[in-house]
Amino acid sequence: MSVLVPLRGLMLKELRQIRSDRVMIPVLIVAPVLQLFIFGYAATMDVTRARVAVLDLDRTPESRAVAERLGASDSFELAARVPTADAAEALLERGKADLAFIIPAGLGQAMSAGEPAEVQLLVDGTESTSASIGIAGASTLIEGLAAEAEARRATEVESARASVEVRRQVLYNPDFKSRFFMVPGVLAVVLLIVTLMATAMAVVKEKELGTFEMLVVTPVPRSILLAGKLIPFAVFGLLDSVLVLLVSRFWFEVPLRGSALLLLGAALPTLLCTLGLGLLVSTISRTQQQAMVTALFLVMLPLLYFSGFIFPIESMPRLVQPVTEVDALTHLLGILRGVMLRGAGLGELWPSLAKLTAIGAITFAAAVALFRKRLG
Amino acid sequence: MSVAAVAHKELRQLSRDPRSLMVLVVLPAVMTLLFGTVLSLDVRHVPISVLDRDGTASSRALVAALTSGEYFELAGHATSDSELDALLLAGKVTIALVVPKGLERSLVTGGRPAVRAVVDGSNAISAQTALGYLEQYVTDFGARLDGERPEPLLSARLRVLFNPELASDRFLLPGLMAMILMVSATIATALSIVKERESGTMEQLRVSPLSAAQVVLGKAMPYSVVSLLAAVLVMATAWLAFGLVVRGSLLLLLLLAGLFVVGAQGLGLVISSVTRSQQVAFQLASYSTLLPSFIISGFVFPLRSMPRALQLLSAVLPVRYFISGLRGVVLKGAGLAVIWPEVAALALFATAMLGLAIWRLHRSEL
């Protein structure tokens, strides 16, 4: 009991400090939700129609069929008809078109004579992902036209050709919405910013103002001091997570197929880790400026980049991949996406949860040890 | 003249703190090096599991064909459907391939057997691309069995411009560079002003006979030079470490970077004029630069896929124009004739931010 009284006092003091800071409340509550909205709407790689420029040097029914097919397709948008190949390239250079079909003179004649003909396809490769998808769409379109032309010419039923088909069955996200993949990531980012950044700043601020000295000389045990400082931010972190989860579930309709309890179970060791890191940053920084730069550049950005938040871990160089294993966010994201999208349970996710717990415990213990050493 | 005096003072202050100077100049390049290594959206080494119910030479050849390239990686053979489901649920594999019994027999007798691909769609883009590769591999496998197939009547001859290998890191690197520079430049100025205010030296500047414009320009100039130096270092890193060759004019690149950096300094000044403490200045600076420069700048997510409101919002962000200008000059070798809209937008932003900062200081709110 005697321990809880000062703890309560310290937490109240922290909350009062947060409340007196005019900007703390917006940063702690409004910003996470705003972030989720921007992310939810902007973080989409869902492919829009590729803009196509057409150069028709043939002007036969066959060549016009290509342009008509392009206009009718769901994957393309006829952006321009150009008079020369140079004009087509210029459009690609300006970024006004994504690809260009150049139909050579004599295409129609060749095709009606049953000779193979070629369409030239120019692609702007800068945006590699949409370029690949555009190329695949264009190939399908041309294969379709070729098959139709062959079918028209075929006088007898061809013998069946050997082929293997693929029957696809897409689980968990049948419409391939990239939002489903991104939104759980926002939850992780919010936890990170609110707890790590806010803790680091709050402790260093007190150091700068000199009020930390006063706290240290009070008869309150160090551990209670620390708990009083960290718990309010942990609570804010959890509240924000719940808020973000509710918005993602009911506004963005991202599924929550698994157990919310498991999510909470993953949030706790993550909090240990982020609070520990925040404490670590504040211990090694003398000024708020140093704490900010350290927290942002040396802690938060690396955690994000190496977690597979956006850039998939499989695509990273082999040498870098082990690094992702010590990143707490990697495991948190694994659990968030597993529970929310696939409905995975503890049976599947326990390795991630175990690693996350280990990373959290080690980080927190190390941070507290260093903090005490510096104080003493 | 007095602009030079303020700039001189600022430079001396900076040089007295070599650690901060190092951080401002070198850290962006180090970040580029560090994050450049993981910067890829290419679909590679997708883990697949196979349930081969046929167990013939043909089915084994099909699996071997799939895993011969670098796209797919065999995470193991499964023995039952439920084992595949468990692997998918645990997120151990992205695609589970089921080869039906009788595949070989069907192929020999001229049938059209189908394999079943069960895909974890949660990572939409990777899953979609991987499925596309898989279908291509399987179709090619079938075509190879067919031997002499006549050339199709119509085919496409592909020429990919600007990024022939379709490597996503070519496209992402300019965005990463812009993001790092934007964040570090804005934070640096915002902090320098707030620091001055907190240590009380801002008062001294204000009572000096300098005009607001002289103070603002004098403050922005040295930091712009430092940030420009950082920008050059970042580009050199991208070239040396990741082989990002600049196709266009280096001078044009420098002009883009210069305008961008001045704009970022201006933004930093404006932010510090509306906030009172370092913590708040920082939070504002990082929210207003980091998040937009990551999400609605076209760095990773294509602008054209976004809702109109966000596209409009991104139109007021300098980082958007910097990224598209960088991509133009670096990847496409575009000249001023092509990227003048980007240059104009950056110049406009820089002027507006400096003007706003001068106005705020004039009303002694800086």
Side-chain angles (χ1 to χ4, degrees):
Chain A
M1 260 329 268
S2 59
V3 164
L4 289 180
V5 175
L7 181 61
R8 197 170 143 255
L10 282 167
M11 282 165 47
L12 279 178
K13 168 207 141 273
E14 199 62 41
L15 283 179
R16 215 166 281 155
Q17 250 171 357
I18 292 172
R19 215 177 47 197
S20 71
D21 197 334
R22 200 160 40 94
V23 190
M24 225 28 186
I25 291 290
V27 163
L28 285 178
I29 294 174
V30 182
V33 176
L34 197 67
Q35 252 173 339
L36 178 65
F37 271 98
I38 297 182
F39 242 104
Y41 282 114
T44 164
M45 300 206 232
D46 301 342
V47 184
T48 44
R49 295 175 171 214
R51 295 158 302 166
V52 191
V54 176
L55 167 59
D56 186 354
L57 297 171
D58 192 38
R59 294 171 189 287
T60 57
E62 283 83 359
S63 74
R64 276 191 288 271
V66 176
E68 272 163 29
R69 194 57 66 87
L70 277 169
S73 155
D74 281 337
S75 344
F76 299 103
E77 180 190 319
L78 200 54
R81 290 176 183 275
V82 286
T84 61
D86 285 343
E89 276 197 42
L91 277 184
L92 291 183
E93 189 183 0
R94 287 219 173 98
K96 298 284 179 213
D98 303 308
L99 59 163
F101 277 71
I102 299 180
I103 305 166
L107 175 121
Q109 204 181 7
M111 281 176 76
S112 12
E115 289 159 23
E118 240 178 14
V119 172
Q120 205 193 337
L121 193 59
L122 287 184
V123 181
D124 173 2
T126 26
E127 289 193 35
S128 52
T129 312
S130 29
S132 315
I133 294 170
I135 292 171
S139 309
T140 312
L141 189 133
I142 292 198
E143 274 163 29
L145 280 169
E148 281 169 32
E150 273 155 34
R152 272 202 302 276
R153 284 189 53 77
T155 44
E156 64 214 62
V157 180
E158 284 183 58
S159 59
R161 285 175 172 171
S163 74
V164 183
E165 282 168 27
V166 177
R167 234 170 260 147
R168 49 162 80 186
Q169 179 191 353
V170 183
L171 304 177
Y172 314 127
N173 182 8
D175 300 327
F176 290 122
K177 287 184 184 155
S178 47
R179 178 185 289 167
F180 282 16
F181 189 64
M182 292 299 164
V183 165
V186 182
L187 212 94
V189 177
V190 165
L191 258 183
L192 201 64
I193 293 187
V194 170
T195 53
L196 197 159
M197 197 67 110
T199 320
M201 300 309 300
V203 177
V204 177
K205 190 176 181 184
E206 203 134 13
K207 259 179 160 176
E208 274 189 349
L209 293 173
T211 46
F212 207 71
E213 306 294 316
M214 290 193 234
L215 283 178
V216 173
V217 295
T218 56
V220 178
R222 299 271 155 90
S223 50
I224 299 296
L225 217 61
L226 210 53
K229 195 86 200 159
L230 298 183
I231 289 174
F233 289 102
V235 171
F236 266 108
L238 280 179
L239 285 180
D240 281 337
S241 305
V242 173
L243 198 63
V244 168
L245 196 63
L246 287 175
V247 177
S248 82
R249 175 70 191 80
F250 293 106
W251 182 270
F252 288 115
E253 293 174 343
V254 177
L256 173 56
R257 299 205 172 96
S259 123
L261 213 62
L262 186 52
L263 289 186
L264 186 71
L268 293 176
T270 310
L271 279 174
L272 271 188
C273 181
T274 51
L275 292 173
L277 285 171
L279 193 63
L280 208 61
V281 169
S282 66
T283 311
I284 58 172
S285 314
R286 272 179 300 115
T287 62
Q288 290 193 62
Q289 183 177 6
Q290 277 178 4
M292 289 160 190
V293 173
T294 316
L296 179 67
F297 279 105
L298 300 182
V299 182
M300 281 180 41
L301 285 182
L303 282 181
L304 278 178
Y305 271 87
F306 286 89
S307 67
F309 174 35
I310 292 177
F311 306 109
I313 292 173
E314 308 96 80
S315 319
M316 294 178 190
R318 282 288 146 94
L319 227 62
V320 179
Q321 290 186 7
V323 180
T324 63
E325 281 287 312
V326 297
D327 185 340
L329 276 194
T330 307
H331 306 296
L332 175 65
L333 281 176
I335 296 174
L336 286 175
R337 286 174 179 156
V339 172
M340 291 170 73
L341 305 181
R342 300 197 303 270
L346 201 56
E348 289 80 29
L349 297 172
W350 69 265
S352 299
L353 191 62
K355 287 179 206 163
L356 186 60
T357 311
I359 295 172
I362 292 172
T363 313
F364 192 73
V368 170
L370 191 71
F371 179 76
R372 283 169 166 247
K373 203 174 145 203
R374 287 288 170 97
L375 271 188
Chain B
M1 208 46 228
S2 320
V3 174
V6 177
H8 185 69
K9 164 206 149 277
E10 204 67 30
L11 270 182
R12 276 183 60 182
Q13 249 174 0
L14 261 175
S15 66
R16 234 178 272 147
D17 187 2
R19 205 174 130 191
S20 296
L21 196 61
M22 275 292 279
V23 167
L24 286 183
V25 176
V26 180
L27 196 63
V30 175
M31 294 288 114
T32 309
L33 192 63
L34 188 65
F35 300 147
T37 56
V38 300
L39 208 62
S40 171
L41 291 170
D42 299 349
V43 176
R44 295 273 182 283
H45 315 300
V46 175
I48 64 169
S49 182
V50 177
L51 172 54
D52 185 353
R53 287 224 172 91
D54 197 36
T56 56
S58 299
S59 69
R60 278 190 293 273
L62 173 65
V63 175
L66 270 179
T67 48
S68 63
E70 56 175 350
Y71 294 124
F72 296 103
E73 208 170 86
L74 192 61
H77 284 272
T79 49
S80 67
D81 273 318
S82 57
E83 197 182 335
L84 286 183
D85 289 343
L87 284 169
L88 283 164
L89 183 63
K92 297 244 193 273
V93 299
T94 305
I95 297 182
L97 188 71
V98 183
V99 183
K101 195 158 183 56
L103 175 98
E104 188 169 71
R105 192 151 28 94
S106 168
L107 279 173
V108 171
T109 56
R112 297 185 143 213
V115 295
R116 190 157 59 93
V118 191
V119 187
D120 170 3
S122 43
N123 186 352
I125 291 295
S126 298
Q128 228 171 337
T129 315
L131 196 57
Y133 289 144
L134 185 106
E135 284 172 348
Q136 191 63 51
Y137 267 103
V138 173
T139 312
D140 287 353
F141 176 79
R144 250 177 291 138
L145 293 177
D146 206 17
E148 54 209 70
R149 176 177 281 205
E151 216 179 317
L153 266 187
L154 187 64
S155 59
R157 186 151 46 90
L158 186 66
R159 188 154 73 92
V160 180
L161 304 175
F162 313 128
N163 180 11
E165 299 91 35
L166 287 174
S168 59
D169 64 336
R170 305 290 91 167
F171 162 73
L172 293 168
L173 270 170
L176 177 70
M177 288 151 63
M179 181 191 120
I180 291 175
L181 289 174
M182 180 80 194
V183 175
S184 61
T186 313
I187 292 181
T189 351
L191 287 179
S192 90
I193 290 274
V194 177
K195 206 172 167 186
E196 192 128 27
R197 199 161 52 203
E198 287 187 348
S199 56
T201 44
M202 199 67 204
E203 301 298 316
Q204 290 172 15
L205 270 183
R206 203 176 294 147
V207 295
S208 67
L210 295 165
S211 73
Q214 285 166 335
V215 173
V216 164
L217 292 180
K219 275 214 158 279
M221 226 158 48
Y223 279 99
S224 298
V225 173
V226 169
S227 293
L228 199 58
L229 214 62
V232 171
L233 222 56
V234 161
M235 285 167 195
T237 310
W239 171 52
L240 288 173
F242 306 111
L244 188 72
V245 179
V246 179
R247 293 235 173 88
S249 134
L250 282 175
L251 214 63
L252 188 55
L253 205 60
L254 219 56
L255 173 70
L256 274 174
L259 286 173
F260 175 67
V261 156
V262 171
Q265 306 299 339
L267 178 65
L269 289 172
V270 172
I271 287 175
S272 52
S273 83
V274 296
T275 57
R276 283 286 144 192
S277 78
Q278 278 201 23
Q279 180 169 3
V280 178
F282 175 79
Q283 296 275 15
L284 257 184
S286 57
Y287 273 126
S288 62
T289 54
L290 183 65
L291 194 67
S293 58
F294 202 79
I295 307 173
I296 49 175
S297 62
F299 168 24
V300 179
F301 309 106
L303 287 169
R304 287 204 304 131
S305 318
M306 290 174 199
R308 192 143 284 279
L310 285 176
Q311 289 188 22
L312 284 177
L313 187 61
S314 86
V316 300
L317 297 177
V319 70
R320 166 187 171 166
Y321 303 102
F322 187 47
I323 291 179
S324 84
L326 268 184
R327 280 183 185 145
V329 177
V330 173
L331 299 176
K332 299 183 174 178
L336 195 57
V338 173
I339 61 158
W340 67 265
E342 277 86 353
V343 173
L346 286 175
L348 189 70
F349 181 77
T351 319
M353 282 303 130
L354 288 179
L356 201 58
I358 291 170
W359 179 68
R360 299 278 310 185
L361 182 68
H362 190 66
R363 297 185 46 206
S364 66
E365 277 166 359
L366 197 69

